[in-house]
Amino acid sequence: MPALTRAEKLEILADAAKYDASCASSGSIKRSSLGTGGIGSTTGMGICHSYAPDGRCISLLKILMTNYCMFDCLYCINRLSSNVRRAAFTPQQIVDLTLDFYKRNYIEGLFLSSGIIRSPDYTMERIVEVARLLREEHKFGGYIHLKTIPEADPDLLTNAGKYADRLSINIELPSDESITRLAPEKSGPHIRKTMGTLGQRISDAKAERKSSRKAPLFAPGGHSTQMIIGADESDDARVLTTSTRLYKGVGLKRVYYSAFSPIPDPSAQLPPVAPPLVREHRLYQADWLLRFYGFGVDEIMTGAKRDAAGKRHLDLAIDPKLAWALQNREHFPVDLNRADKSILLRVPGLGVNGALAIIKARRFGTLRLADIETLCRNVSKMLPFIITRDWTPGPRLDDANLYAKLAPKPKQLELFAT
């Protein structure tokens, strides 16, 4: 079998990395300029975008070190028993790629993950070596995100934190039972314990930096995780409960939700079809409510629906905050000229920036509906739930058809849409 060229390896390992959602976005349609004579593509992979702490959108080379793997996680296309084409880069080859791409102004950083070869320690050593070579030998100042291996030696994870801006460990699935069944070489309690150790190390480093600016950095971007949605029977209530425990228990910066993608030669334990992508979108919206809007899981799930198996899932037709508001109409209407921030954030269609803009503007006078239309984008969704100086919803809030009036209108599917 002929040796793979660098371009062939890059094609295989960049494609294999697309399943990691930690710095990806969904919602775009597949579109390619191949054969049209145009430019641009949304089907390629290898370079993704992420956001720096200061809000800048940065481009990252997103690849696996190798897609060989000694683990046999049933949901993973790179599992031991998978028949995919395999490839591997050495640490030096990844360093060369990163520098070549950076010098051409293609990227501003690196997102590196890997299948597990020989042992978790051996693989983690090679991942850390990439970051070490970039930082120490080439003085690379770009962004580095390393996917770490919870089964590896804690000292190796500590070394990774010295060089990386952000670290992440995949929790994989919402429940320990599902991890045991679908990823038998992994352990939910062990993953969370490693996350906890990492979170404590990050917290300690921040405290040391407050005492002395000379204290070394340790993963200043924090740590994150990814959870696969739809590969097991867990409902959205279970998913959000797991996320809440991770945010509070191990200090995670972010949980990413990745809708399960059917893989070739799948196990009979996996669902035959992928969950709707909108489920992933609703979970991100609910996650936002948990982190920035003061909602609890129980509150969010009051707007949920039960499926035929009795599982509680977020309403796919409307966003979670609107679903909650429709089920809790006794809390409305909200007087935008008097309510505090925590109450304003409960109004459907009103985000954090809008709430802050209203609080700032009402210092100078009582707000009218026209003022709200100037300050906020989605006023039509807010109308049944708010009071201003010249607006009250009247009987709108008690309208039995309010759900249908506020839900997005269905769109005719395109027969030949791609």
Side-chain angles (χ1 to χ4, degrees), residues 334 336-337 358 366-393 396:
V334 168
L336 298 188
N337 284 297
I358 287 173
T366 306
L367 301 180
R368 299 172 180 270
L369 186 58
D371 300 319
I372 304 303
E373 290 173 340
T374 302
L375 297 170
C376 306
R377 293 181 183 176
N378 202 359
V379 176
S380 60
K381 184 188 285 189
M382 297 164 55
L383 288 178
F385 304 98
I386 61 171
I387 292 174
T388 65
R389 181 176 176 181
D390 57 346
W391 170 262
T392 59
R396 293 184 180 205

Side-chain angles (χ1 to χ4, degrees), residues 311-364:
K311 301 285 187 179
R312 291 194 301 159
H313 291 286
L314 297 171
D315 191 331
L316 298 183
I318 58 175
D319 69 79
K321 188 157 75 164
L322 177 58
W324 172 83
L326 290 171
Q327 294 294 322
N328 295 274
R329 301 187 195 191
E330 68 275 14
H331 296 298
F332 300 97
V334 168
D335 187 343
L336 298 188
N337 284 297
R338 296 177 179 276
D340 64 26
K341 180 185 171 186
S342 64
I343 302 300
L344 292 177
L345 290 178
R346 299 267 165 164
V347 176
L350 185 55
V352 174
N353 289 338
L356 293 176
I358 287 173
I359 291 171
K360 184 177 180 180
R362 68 191 188 190
R363 297 174 187 167
F364 305 100

Side-chain angles (χ1 to χ4, degrees), residues 160-187:
K162 293 177 182 176
Y163 301 117
D165 293 279
R166 173 171 283 194
L167 300 175
S168 56
I169 298 174
N170 285 354
I171 189 66
E172 308 290 357
L173 296 162
S175 74
D176 289 349
E177 298 79 10
S178 296
I179 294 174
T180 301
R181 182 166 56 86
L182 300 180
E185 292 94 350
K186 298 182 177 180
S187 161

Side-chain angles (χ1 to χ4, degrees), residues 273-285:
V273 297
L277 269 181
V278 70
R279 182 184 175 194
E280 181 184 296
H281 179 61
R282 296 299 181 215
L283 283 168
Y284 275 115
Q285 289 179 317

Side-chain angles (χ1 to χ4, degrees), residues 212-225:
S212 170
R213 301 305 297 174
K214 295 182 179 179
L217 291 170
F218 185 89
H223 63 138
S224 59
T225 193

